Coordinates of all heavy atoms in Angstrom, one line a residue:
M1 N 103.1 134.1 65.9 CA 102.5 133.6 67.1 C 101.2 132.9 66.8 O 100.9 131.9 67.5 CB 102.2 134.8 68.0 CG 103.4 135.3 68.7 SD 104.2 134.1 69.7 CE 105.5 135.0 70.4
Y2 N 100.5 133.3 65.8 CA 99.3 132.7 65.4 C 99.5 131.2 65.1 O 98.7 130.4 65.5 CB 98.6 133.4 64.2 CG 97.4 132.7 63.7 CD1 96.2 132.7 64.4 CD2 97.5 131.9 62.5 CE1 95.1 132.0 63.8 CE2 96.4 131.3 62.0 CZ 95.2 131.3 62.7 OH 94.2 130.6 62.2
Y3 N 100.5 130.9 64.3 CA 100.8 129.5 63.9 C 101.1 128.7 65.2 O 100.7 127.5 65.2 CB 101.9 129.4 62.9 CG 101.5 130.1 61.6 CD1 102.1 131.3 61.2 CD2 100.5 129.5 60.8 CE1 101.7 131.9 60.0 CE2 100.1 130.1 59.6 CZ 100.7 131.3 59.2 OH 100.3 131.8 58.0
L4 N 101.9 129.2 66.1 CA 102.2 128.5 67.3 C 101.0 128.2 68.1 O 100.8 127.1 68.7 CB 103.3 129.2 68.1 CG 103.8 128.5 69.3 CD1 104.4 127.2 69.0 CD2 104.9 129.4 70.0
A5 N 100.1 129.2 68.2 CA 98.9 129.0 69.0 C 98.0 128.0 68.3 O 97.4 127.1 69.0 CB 98.1 130.4 69.1
N6 N 97.9 128.0 67.0 CA 97.1 127.0 66.3 C 97.7 125.6 66.5 O 97.0 124.6 66.6 CB 97.1 127.4 64.8 CG 96.0 126.7 64.1 OD1 95.0 126.3 64.7 ND2 96.1 126.7 62.8
F7 N 99.1 125.5 66.5 CA 99.7 124.2 66.7 C 99.4 123.7 68.1 O 99.1 122.5 68.2 CB 101.2 124.4 66.5 CG 102.0 123.1 66.9 CD1 102.0 122.0 66.0 CD2 102.7 123.1 68.0 CE1 102.7 120.9 66.4 CE2 103.4 121.9 68.4 CZ 103.3 120.8 67.6
I8 N 99.4 124.5 69.1 CA 99.1 124.2 70.4 C 97.7 123.6 70.5 O 97.4 122.6 71.1 CB 99.4 125.3 71.4 CG1 100.9 125.5 71.6 CG2 98.7 125.0 72.8 CD1 101.3 126.8 72.3
N9 N 96.8 124.3 69.9 CA 95.4 123.9 69.9 C 95.2 122.5 69.3 O 94.5 121.7 69.8 CB 94.5 124.9 69.2 CG 94.0 126.0 70.1 OD1 93.8 125.8 71.3 ND2 93.9 127.2 69.5
I10 N 95.9 122.3 68.1 CA 95.8 121.0 67.4 C 96.4 119.9 68.3 O 95.9 118.8 68.4 CB 96.4 121.1 66.0 CG1 95.6 122.0 65.1 CG2 96.6 119.8 65.4 CD1 96.2 122.4 63.8
L11 N 97.6 120.2 68.8 CA 98.3 119.2 69.6 C 97.4 118.8 70.8 O 97.3 117.6 71.1 CB 99.6 119.8 70.1 CG 100.4 118.9 71.1 CD1 100.9 117.6 70.3 CD2 101.6 119.6 71.7
F12 N 96.8 119.7 71.5 CA 96.1 119.3 72.7 C 94.8 118.7 72.3 O 94.3 117.8 73.0 CB 95.8 120.6 73.6 CG 97.0 120.9 74.5 CD1 98.1 121.6 74.0 CD2 97.0 120.5 75.8 CE1 99.1 121.9 74.8 CE2 98.1 120.8 76.6 CZ 99.2 121.5 76.1
T13 N 94.2 119.0 71.2 CA 93.0 118.3 70.7 C 93.3 116.9 70.3 O 92.6 116.0 70.7 CB 92.4 119.0 69.4 OG1 92.1 120.4 69.8 CG2 91.2 118.3 68.9
V14 N 94.5 116.6 69.7 CA 94.9 115.3 69.4 C 95.1 114.5 70.6 O 94.7 113.3 70.8 CB 96.1 115.3 68.5 CG1 96.7 113.9 68.4 CG2 95.8 115.8 67.1
L15 N 95.8 115.1 71.6 CA 96.0 114.4 72.9 C 94.7 114.0 73.6 O 94.5 112.9 74.1 CB 96.9 115.2 73.8 CG 98.3 115.4 73.4 CD1 99.0 116.3 74.3 CD2 99.0 114.0 73.4
N16 N 93.7 114.9 73.6 CA 92.4 114.7 74.2 C 91.7 113.5 73.5 O 91.2 112.6 74.1 CB 91.6 115.9 74.2 CG 91.9 116.8 75.3 OD1 92.3 116.4 76.4 ND2 91.8 118.1 75.1
F17 N 91.8 113.5 72.1 CA 91.1 112.4 71.4 C 91.9 111.1 71.6 O 91.2 110.1 71.8 CB 91.1 112.7 69.9 CG 89.9 113.6 69.5 CD1 90.1 114.8 68.9 CD2 88.6 113.1 69.7 CE1 89.0 115.5 68.5 CE2 87.5 113.9 69.3 CZ 87.7 115.1 68.7
A18 N 93.2 111.1 71.8 CA 93.9 109.9 72.0 C 93.5 109.3 73.4 O 93.3 108.1 73.5 CB 95.4 110.2 72.0
I19 N 93.4 110.2 74.4 CA 92.9 109.7 75.7 C 91.5 109.2 75.6 O 91.2 108.1 76.2 CB 93.1 110.9 76.8 CG1 94.6 111.2 77.0 CG2 92.4 110.4 78.1 CD1 94.8 112.4 77.9
L20 N 90.7 109.9 74.9 CA 89.3 109.4 74.8 C 89.2 108.0 74.1 O 88.5 107.1 74.6 CB 88.4 110.4 74.0 CG 87.0 110.0 73.8 CD1 86.2 109.9 75.1 CD2 86.3 111.1 72.9
I21 N 90.0 107.9 73.0 CA 90.0 106.6 72.3 C 90.6 105.5 73.3 O 90.0 104.4 73.3 CB 90.8 106.7 71.1 CG1 90.1 107.6 70.0 CG2 91.1 105.3 70.5 CD1 90.9 108.0 68.8
R22 N 91.5 105.8 74.1 CA 92.1 104.8 75.0 C 91.1 104.4 76.0 O 91.0 103.2 76.4 CB 93.3 105.4 75.7 CG 93.9 104.4 76.6 CD 95.3 104.7 77.1 NE 95.7 103.8 78.1 CZ 96.8 103.8 78.7 NH1 97.8 104.7 78.3 NH2 97.2 103.0 79.7
V23 N 90.3 105.4 76.5 CA 89.2 105.0 77.5 C 88.2 104.1 76.8 O 87.8 103.1 77.4 CB 88.6 106.3 78.0 CG1 87.3 106.0 78.7 CG2 89.5 107.1 78.9
L24 N 87.8 104.5 75.6 CA 86.8 103.6 74.9 C 87.3 102.2 74.6 O 86.6 101.2 74.7 CB 86.3 104.3 73.6 CG 85.6 105.6 73.8 CD1 85.3 106.3 72.5 CD2 84.3 105.4 74.6
I25 N 88.6 102.1 74.3 CA 89.2 100.8 74.0 C 89.3 100.0 75.2 O 89.3 98.8 75.2 CB 90.6 101.1 73.3 CG1 90.4 101.5 71.8 CG2 91.4 99.8 73.4 CD1 91.6 101.7 71.1
S26 N 89.5 100.7 76.4 CA 89.6 99.9 77.6 C 88.3 99.1 78.0 O 88.3 98.2 78.8 CB 90.0 100.8 78.8 OG 88.9 101.6 79.2
W27 N 87.2 99.5 77.3 CA 85.9 98.8 77.6 C 85.8 97.5 76.8 O 84.9 96.7 77.1 CB 84.8 99.7 77.3 CG 84.7 100.9 78.2 CD1 85.3 101.1 79.4 CD2 83.9 102.1 78.0 NE1 85.0 102.4 79.9 CE2 84.1 103.0 79.0 CE3 83.0 102.5 77.0 CZ2 83.5 104.2 79.1 CZ3 82.4 103.7 77.1 CH2 82.6 104.5 78.1
I28 N 86.6 97.4 75.8 CA 86.6 96.1 75.0 C 87.9 95.4 75.0 O 88.9 96.1 75.4 CB 86.2 96.5 73.5 CG1 87.2 97.4 72.9 CG2 84.8 97.0 73.4 CD1 86.9 97.7 71.4
H29 N 87.9 94.2 74.7 CA 89.2 93.4 74.7 C 89.9 93.6 73.3 O 89.3 93.3 72.3 CB 88.9 92.0 74.9 CG 90.1 91.1 74.9 ND1 91.1 91.2 75.9 CD2 90.6 90.2 74.1 CE1 92.1 90.4 75.7 NE2 91.8 89.8 74.5
V30 N 91.1 94.2 73.4 CA 91.9 94.4 72.2 C 93.2 93.7 72.3 O 93.7 93.5 73.5 CB 92.1 95.9 71.8 CG1 90.8 96.5 71.5 CG2 92.8 96.6 73.0
D31 N 93.9 93.4 71.3 CA 95.2 92.8 71.3 C 96.2 93.8 71.6 O 96.4 94.7 70.8 CB 95.5 92.1 69.9 CG 96.8 91.4 69.9 OD1 97.4 91.1 71.0 OD2 97.3 91.1 68.8
P32 N 96.9 93.7 72.7 CA 97.9 94.7 73.1 C 99.1 94.7 72.2 O 99.9 95.6 72.2 CB 98.3 94.4 74.5 CG 97.9 93.0 74.7 CD 96.8 92.7 73.8
R33 N 99.3 93.7 71.4 CA 100.4 93.6 70.4 C 100.1 94.4 69.1 O 101.0 94.5 68.3 CB 100.8 92.2 70.1 CG 101.3 91.5 71.4 CD 101.5 90.0 71.1 NE 100.1 89.5 70.9 CZ 99.9 88.3 70.5 NH1 100.8 87.4 70.2 NH2 98.6 87.8 70.3
N34 N 98.9 94.9 69.0 CA 98.5 95.6 67.8 C 99.4 96.9 67.7 O 99.4 97.6 68.7 CB 97.0 95.9 67.8 CG 96.5 96.6 66.6 OD1 97.2 97.4 66.0 ND2 95.3 96.3 66.2
P35 N 100.0 97.2 66.6 CA 100.9 98.4 66.5 C 100.1 99.7 66.8 O 100.7 100.6 67.4 CB 101.4 98.4 65.1 CG 101.3 97.0 64.7 CD 100.1 96.4 65.4
L36 N 98.8 99.8 66.4 CA 98.1 101.0 66.7 C 97.8 101.2 68.2 O 97.8 102.3 68.7 CB 96.8 101.0 65.9 CG 96.9 101.2 64.4 CD1 95.6 101.0 63.7 CD2 97.6 102.5 64.0
I37 N 97.5 100.1 68.8 CA 97.2 100.1 70.2 C 98.5 100.4 71.0 O 98.5 101.2 71.9 CB 96.7 98.7 70.7 CG1 95.4 98.4 70.0 CG2 96.5 98.7 72.2 CD1 94.3 99.4 70.2
Q38 N 99.6 99.9 70.5 CA 100.9 100.2 71.2 C 101.2 101.7 71.0 O 101.7 102.4 71.9 CB 102.0 99.4 70.6 CG 101.9 97.9 71.1 CD 103.0 97.1 70.4 OE1 103.7 97.5 69.5 NE2 103.1 95.8 71.0
L39 N 101.0 102.3 69.8 CA 101.2 103.7 69.6 C 100.3 104.5 70.4 O 100.7 105.5 71.1 CB 100.9 104.0 68.1 CG 101.0 105.5 67.7 CD1 102.4 106.0 67.9 CD2 100.6 105.7 66.3
L40 N 99.0 104.1 70.6 CA 98.1 104.9 71.4 C 98.6 104.9 72.9 O 98.5 105.9 73.5 CB 96.7 104.2 71.3 CG 95.6 104.9 72.1 CD1 95.3 106.3 71.5 CD2 94.3 104.1 72.1
F41 N 99.0 103.7 73.4 CA 99.5 103.6 74.7 C 100.8 104.5 74.9 O 101.0 105.1 75.9 CB 99.8 102.2 75.1 CG 98.5 101.5 75.7 CD1 97.4 101.4 74.9 CD2 98.5 101.0 77.0 CE1 96.2 100.8 75.4 CE2 97.4 100.4 77.5 CZ 96.2 100.3 76.7
A42 N 101.7 104.5 73.9 CA 102.9 105.2 74.0 C 102.6 106.7 74.0 O 103.4 107.5 74.6 CB 103.8 104.9 72.7
I43 N 101.6 107.2 73.4 CA 101.2 108.6 73.4 C 100.5 109.0 74.7 O 100.8 110.0 75.3 CB 100.3 108.9 72.2 CG1 101.0 108.8 70.9 CG2 99.6 110.3 72.3 CD1 100.2 108.8 69.6
T44 N 99.7 108.1 75.2 CA 98.8 108.5 76.4 C 99.4 108.2 77.7 O 99.1 108.8 78.7 CB 97.4 107.9 76.2 OG1 97.6 106.5 76.1 CG2 96.7 108.5 75.0
E45 N 100.2 107.1 77.8 CA 100.7 106.7 79.1 C 101.6 107.7 79.8 O 101.4 107.9 81.0 CB 101.5 105.3 78.9 CG 101.8 104.7 80.2 CD 100.6 104.3 81.1 OE1 99.5 104.1 80.5 OE2 100.8 104.3 82.3
P46 N 102.5 108.5 79.1 CA 103.2 109.5 79.8 C 102.3 110.6 80.4 O 102.7 111.2 81.4 CB 104.1 110.1 78.7 CG 104.2 109.1 77.7 CD 102.9 108.3 77.7
I47 N 101.1 110.8 79.9 CA 100.2 111.8 80.4 C 99.4 111.2 81.6 O 99.2 111.8 82.6 CB 99.3 112.3 79.3 CG1 100.0 112.9 78.2 CG2 98.2 113.2 79.9 CD1 99.3 113.2 77.0
L48 N 99.0 109.9 81.4 CA 98.1 109.3 82.4 C 98.8 108.7 83.6 O 98.2 108.7 84.7 CB 97.2 108.2 81.7 CG 96.2 108.7 80.7 CD1 95.6 107.5 80.0 CD2 95.2 109.6 81.2
A49 N 100.0 108.3 83.4 CA 100.7 107.6 84.5 C 100.9 108.5 85.8 O 100.6 108.0 86.9 CB 102.1 107.1 84.0
P50 N 101.3 109.7 85.6 CA 101.5 110.6 86.9 C 100.1 110.7 87.6 O 100.1 110.7 88.8 CB 102.0 111.9 86.3 CG 102.6 111.6 85.0 CD 101.8 110.4 84.5
F51 N 99.1 110.9 86.8 CA 97.8 111.1 87.5 C 97.3 109.8 88.2 O 96.7 109.8 89.2 CB 96.7 111.6 86.5 CG 97.0 112.9 86.0 CD1 97.3 113.1 84.6 CD2 97.0 114.1 86.8 CE1 97.6 114.4 84.2 CE2 97.3 115.3 86.3 CZ 97.6 115.5 85.0
R52 N 97.6 108.7 87.5 CA 97.3 107.4 88.1 C 98.0 107.1 89.4 O 97.5 106.5 90.3 CB 97.6 106.3 87.1 CG 96.8 105.0 87.3 CD 97.0 104.0 86.2 NE 96.4 104.4 85.0 CZ 97.0 104.6 83.9 NH1 98.3 104.3 83.8 NH2 96.4 105.0 82.8
R53 N 99.2 107.6 89.5 CA 100.0 107.5 90.8 C 99.4 108.3 91.9 O 99.4 108.0 93.0 CB 101.4 107.8 90.6 CG 102.3 106.8 89.9 CD 103.7 107.0 90.0 NE 104.1 108.3 89.4 CZ 104.5 108.4 88.1 NH1 104.5 107.4 87.3 NH2 104.9 109.6 87.6
L54 N 98.8 109.5 91.5 CA 98.2 110.4 92.5 C 96.8 109.9 92.9 O 96.4 110.1 94.1 CB 98.1 111.8 91.9 CG 99.5 112.6 91.7 CD1 99.2 113.9 91.0 CD2 100.1 112.8 93.1
I55 N 96.1 109.4 91.9 CA 94.7 109.0 92.2 C 94.6 107.6 91.9 O 94.4 107.2 90.7 CB 93.7 109.9 91.3 CG1 94.0 111.3 91.6 CG2 92.3 109.5 91.6 CD1 93.3 112.2 90.5
P56 N 94.6 106.7 92.8 CA 94.5 105.3 92.5 C 93.1 104.9 92.1 O 92.1 105.7 92.5 CB 94.9 104.6 93.9 CG 94.7 105.6 94.9 CD 94.9 107.0 94.2
P57 N 92.9 103.9 91.4 CA 91.5 103.5 91.0 C 90.6 103.3 92.2 O 91.0 102.7 93.2 CB 91.7 102.2 90.2 CG 93.1 102.2 89.8 CD 93.9 103.0 90.8
A58 N 89.4 103.7 92.1 CA 88.4 103.6 93.2 C 87.3 102.7 92.6 O 86.7 103.0 91.6 CB 87.9 104.9 93.6
A59 N 87.0 101.6 93.3 CA 85.9 100.7 92.9 C 86.2 100.1 91.5 O 85.2 99.9 90.8 CB 84.6 101.3 93.1
G60 N 87.4 100.0 91.1 CA 87.7 99.5 89.8 C 87.7 100.5 88.7 O 87.8 100.1 87.5
L61 N 87.4 101.7 89.0 CA 87.3 102.8 88.0 C 88.6 103.7 88.0 O 89.0 104.1 89.1 CB 86.1 103.6 88.2 CG 84.8 102.9 88.1 CD1 83.6 103.9 88.5 CD2 84.6 102.4 86.7
D62 N 89.1 103.9 86.9 CA 90.3 104.8 86.7 C 89.9 106.2 86.4 O 89.3 106.4 85.3 CB 91.2 104.2 85.7 CG 92.5 105.0 85.5 OD1 92.8 105.8 86.4 OD2 93.2 104.8 84.5
F63 N 90.1 107.1 87.3 CA 89.7 108.5 87.1 C 90.8 109.3 86.6 O 90.6 110.6 86.3 CB 89.2 109.1 88.4 CG 87.9 108.5 88.9 CD1 87.9 107.6 90.0 CD2 86.7 108.8 88.3 CE1 86.7 107.0 90.4 CE2 85.5 108.2 88.7 CZ 85.5 107.3 89.8
S64 N 92.0 108.8 86.3 CA 93.1 109.6 85.7 C 92.8 110.2 84.4 O 93.2 111.3 84.2 CB 94.3 108.7 85.7 OG 94.2 107.6 84.8
P65 N 92.0 109.6 83.5 CA 91.7 110.3 82.3 C 90.9 111.6 82.5 O 91.1 112.6 81.8 CB 90.9 109.3 81.4 CG 91.3 108.0 81.9 CD 91.6 108.2 83.4
I66 N 90.0 111.6 83.4 CA 89.2 112.8 83.7 C 90.1 113.9 84.2 O 90.0 115.1 83.8 CB 88.1 112.5 84.7 CG1 87.1 111.5 84.1 CG2 87.3 113.8 85.1 CD1 86.1 110.9 85.1
V67 N 91.0 113.6 85.1 CA 91.9 114.6 85.7 C 92.9 115.0 84.6 O 93.2 116.2 84.5 CB 92.7 114.0 86.9 CG1 93.7 115.0 87.4 CG2 91.7 113.5 87.9
A68 N 93.3 114.1 83.7 CA 94.2 114.5 82.6 C 93.5 115.5 81.6 O 94.1 116.4 81.1 CB 94.6 113.2 81.8
F69 N 92.2 115.2 81.3 CA 91.4 116.2 80.5 C 91.5 117.6 81.1 O 91.7 118.6 80.4 CB 90.0 115.7 80.3 CG 89.8 114.6 79.3 CD1 89.0 113.5 79.7 CD2 90.4 114.6 78.1 CE1 88.8 112.5 78.8 CE2 90.2 113.6 77.2 CZ 89.4 112.5 77.6
F70 N 91.2 117.7 82.4 CA 91.2 119.0 83.0 C 92.6 119.6 83.0 O 92.8 120.8 82.8 CB 90.7 118.9 84.5 CG 89.2 118.7 84.5 CD1 88.6 117.6 85.1 CD2 88.3 119.7 84.0 CE1 87.3 117.5 85.2 CE2 86.9 119.6 84.1 CZ 86.4 118.4 84.7
A71 N 93.6 118.8 83.3 CA 95.0 119.3 83.4 C 95.4 119.8 82.0 O 96.1 120.8 81.9 CB 95.9 118.3 83.9
L72 N 95.1 119.0 81.0 CA 95.5 119.4 79.6 C 94.8 120.7 79.2 O 95.4 121.6 78.5 CB 95.2 118.3 78.6 CG 96.1 117.1 78.6 CD1 95.6 116.0 77.7 CD2 97.5 117.5 78.2
E73 N 93.5 120.8 79.6 CA 92.8 122.1 79.2 C 93.4 123.3 80.0 O 93.5 124.4 79.4 CB 91.3 121.9 79.5 CG 90.5 123.1 79.2 CD 90.5 123.4 77.7 OE1 90.8 122.6 76.8 OE2 90.2 124.6 77.3
L74 N 93.7 123.1 81.2 CA 94.4 124.2 82.0 C 95.7 124.6 81.4 O 96.0 125.8 81.2 CB 94.5 123.8 83.4 CG 93.3 123.8 84.3 CD1 93.6 123.3 85.7 CD2 92.7 125.2 84.4
L75 N 96.5 123.6 81.0 CA 97.8 123.8 80.4 C 97.6 124.5 79.0 O 98.4 125.5 78.7 CB 98.6 122.6 80.3 CG 100.0 122.7 79.7 CD1 100.8 123.6 80.6 CD2 100.6 121.3 79.6
R76 N 96.7 124.1 78.3 CA 96.4 124.7 76.9 C 96.0 126.2 77.1 O 96.6 127.0 76.4 CB 95.3 124.0 76.2 CG 95.1 124.5 74.8 CD 93.9 123.9 74.1 NE 92.6 124.3 74.8 CZ 92.0 125.4 74.5 NH1 92.4 126.3 73.6 NH2 90.8 125.7 75.1
R77 N 95.1 126.5 78.0 CA 94.7 127.8 78.3 C 95.9 128.7 78.8 O 96.0 129.8 78.4 CB 93.6 127.9 79.2 CG 92.3 127.4 78.6 CD 91.1 127.5 79.6 NE 90.0 126.9 79.0 CZ 88.7 127.2 79.3 NH1 88.5 128.2 80.2 NH2 87.7 126.6 78.7
L78 N 96.7 128.1 79.6 CA 97.8 128.9 80.2 C 98.8 129.2 79.1 O 99.3 130.3 78.9 CB 98.6 128.0 81.3 CG 99.8 128.7 81.8 CD1 99.5 129.9 82.6 CD2 100.5 127.6 82.7
L79 N 99.1 128.2 78.2 CA 100.1 128.5 77.1 C 99.5 129.5 76.1 O 100.2 130.4 75.6 CB 100.4 127.1 76.4 CG 101.2 126.2 77.2 CD1 101.3 124.9 76.4 CD2 102.6 126.7 77.4
L80 N 98.2 129.4 75.8 CA 97.6 130.3 74.9 C 97.6 131.7 75.5 O 97.7 132.7 74.7 CB 96.3 129.9 74.4 CG 96.2 128.6 73.5 CD1 94.8 128.2 73.2 CD2 97.1 128.9 72.3
S81 N 97.3 131.8 76.8 CA 97.3 133.2 77.4 C 98.7 133.8 77.4 O 98.8 135.1 77.3 CB 96.7 133.1 78.8 OG 97.6 132.4 79.6
I82 N 99.7 133.0 77.5 CA 101.1 133.5 77.4 C 101.4 134.0 76.0 O 102.0 135.1 75.8 CB 102.1 132.5 77.9 CG1 101.9 132.2 79.4 CG2 103.5 132.9 77.6 CD1 102.7 131.1 79.9
L83 N 101.0 133.2 75.0 CA 101.3 133.6 73.6 C 100.5 134.7 73.1 O 101.0 135.5 72.3 CB 101.0 132.3 72.8 CG 102.0 131.2 72.9 CD1 101.6 130.0 72.0 CD2 103.4 131.7 72.5
L84 N 99.2 134.8 73.5 CA 98.4 135.8 72.9 C 98.1 137.0 73.8 O 98.3 137.5 74.6 CB 97.0 135.2 72.5 CG 97.1 134.0 71.5 CD1 95.7 133.5 71.3 CD2 97.7 134.5 70.2

């Protein structure tokens, strides 16, 4: 169980960093055809898209990453509490 809990922690940390990198990249102009950018979008879009549908951008700001951070943390804590 320890290894599974450790895997869950690492997975959710990587997802959080991917979302953070995507937010930072959105502030600068990058080539969307770049394979690394496409990989980053492929990882984060399935997480962010449902929140973006629930919370539309307000005043040009996308709040879906913030909600995704909270949701991922709640899910991580729930999974770890079940395992441990």
